[in-house]
Amino acid sequence: MSLSQALNVSASGLRAAQAGLTLVSSNVANAGTPGYVRKTLVQTEIGNGLGTSVSVAGVNRELDIYTQRQLRTETSGGAYADLRAEFYSRLQLVYGAPGSGTAVETVFNNFTTALQALATSPDSAAARSAAVNAAQTMAQQLNGMSAAIQGLRSDAERGLADAAGSANDAMQGIARLNRQLAGMSPSSAGAAALMDQRDAYVDQLSQLMDIRVVDNGQSGVSVFTNSGVELVGVQAAQIQFTPQGTMTPDALWSSDPAKRSVGTLTLVSPNGGSLDLLASNSIRSGSIAALVDMRDNVLPAAQAQ
């Protein structure tokens, strides 16, 4: 082996070591960065009969696909449970703490006690006044509770509008990165960084709804709801939502647009087709499903009660 060949072999090893140190440094620096995936070098051996050198062929993302899929499933479920818990806590405040002077059962008990006293002493001016005051307090309490429940439903309606916007941003981001990755080698450092960004968008989307991600084998992914509705393919679909202004007890969702008085979620595909995501029960978990359930089921039931 000539001196120049020996130097080339040594230089290749140094370049590989330098690339490895740079990657380790990046892994350490981003250990706490959300969405960052640890990376390792792909090295290949090059032999020419006179010596063996090493070359950096690319970068591997050290990622367990099964664990990632399960994490996204649990993320959707966790977001669903957290948002419902938040609304139930706020609904409890509307009812009042059990045993407190402003609790609905306390006001009702005061009203019935006043009526019983009036029944015992119907000629008593004090009993009549107490009954009227208790009735007025009871009416004010019920009116206030009704208004507060409609306020919660309005918050859910606005939350759906915000969630639709966030979902559209995430889907557009996934589609954009799919296009950028289409002409790149999956093992390149640049592709690995873009895949991290795409995973962050997918994770954001998984908080909003239950999704399934399919690798198309060309550095791109397609995203579907767990019910099978495609959200992102070559291009991204768009979710449309028009929130209602004032929410009243009679404002309810219906699969019939003519009878509907609250907003619905409509998925518009890139080819122009549309699908009512609520009528088709396409979203079953995540914060969007929780908002829909609170607005259309839990809170109307509380209002009726």
Side-chain angles (χ1 to χ4, degrees), residues 9-98:
V9 170
S10 300
S12 70
L14 289 173
R15 285 192 294 269
Q18 183 181 29
L21 288 173
T22 301
L23 201 57
V24 169
S25 175
S26 178
N27 287 337
V28 172
N30 290 283
T33 302
Y36 181 83
V37 177
R38 184 173 66 88
K39 298 171 182 65
T40 57
L41 285 182
V42 179
Q43 299 181 4
T44 59
E45 187 179 283
I46 301 175
N48 57 11
L50 297 175
T52 301
S53 60
V54 64
S55 174
V56 176
V59 173
N60 268 342
R61 300 171 77 230
E62 298 299 321
L63 181 66
D64 187 322
I65 300 300
Y66 174 78
T67 301
Q68 185 185 55
R69 185 183 303 119
Q70 290 299 112
L71 176 62
R72 286 169 177 163
T73 299
E74 296 305 323
T75 297
S76 296
Y80 178 85
D82 288 346
L83 198 142
R84 282 172 58 87
E86 176 192 339
F87 269 84
Y88 273 122
S89 295
R90 295 173 64 186
L91 184 59
Q92 181 60 55
L93 293 176
V94 173
Y95 290 141

Side-chain angles (χ1 to χ4, degrees), residues 174-200:
I174 295 168
R176 183 183 69 254
L177 290 166
N178 275 344
R179 291 191 293 270
Q180 290 180 248
L181 285 161
M184 301 177 66
S185 169
S187 60
S188 69
L194 291 178
M195 288 178 184
D196 283 355
Q197 295 178 34
R198 186 176 63 191
D199 282 350

Side-chain angles (χ1 to χ4, degrees), residues 139-242:
Q140 292 170 356
Q141 178 81 356
L142 293 176
N143 288 336
M145 289 174 61
S146 179
I149 289 173
Q150 299 318 308
L152 289 176
R153 294 187 70 213
S154 294
D155 288 348
E157 181 89 340
R158 286 189 292 269
L160 285 170
D162 292 341
S166 298
N168 287 331
D169 290 342
M171 292 188 295
Q172 290 291 341
I174 295 168
R176 183 183 69 254
L177 290 166
N178 275 344
R179 291 191 293 270
Q180 290 180 248
L181 285 161
M184 301 177 66
S185 169
S187 60
S188 69
L194 291 178
M195 288 178 184
D196 283 355
Q197 295 178 34
R198 186 176 63 191
D199 282 350
Y201 281 120
V202 174
D203 292 342
Q204 176 184 335
L205 192 60
S206 71
Q207 294 182 357
L208 300 171
M209 62 185 80
D210 49 320
I211 57 174
R212 177 168 53 90
V213 181
V214 178
D215 192 333
N216 64 16
Q218 299 176 347
S219 298
V221 296
S222 296
V223 183
F224 301 83
T225 66
N226 274 336
S227 61
V229 177
E230 186 176 54
L231 302 172
V232 182
V234 177
Q235 299 180 44
Q238 185 178 32
I239 297 177
Q240 294 181 350
F241 183 81
T242 304

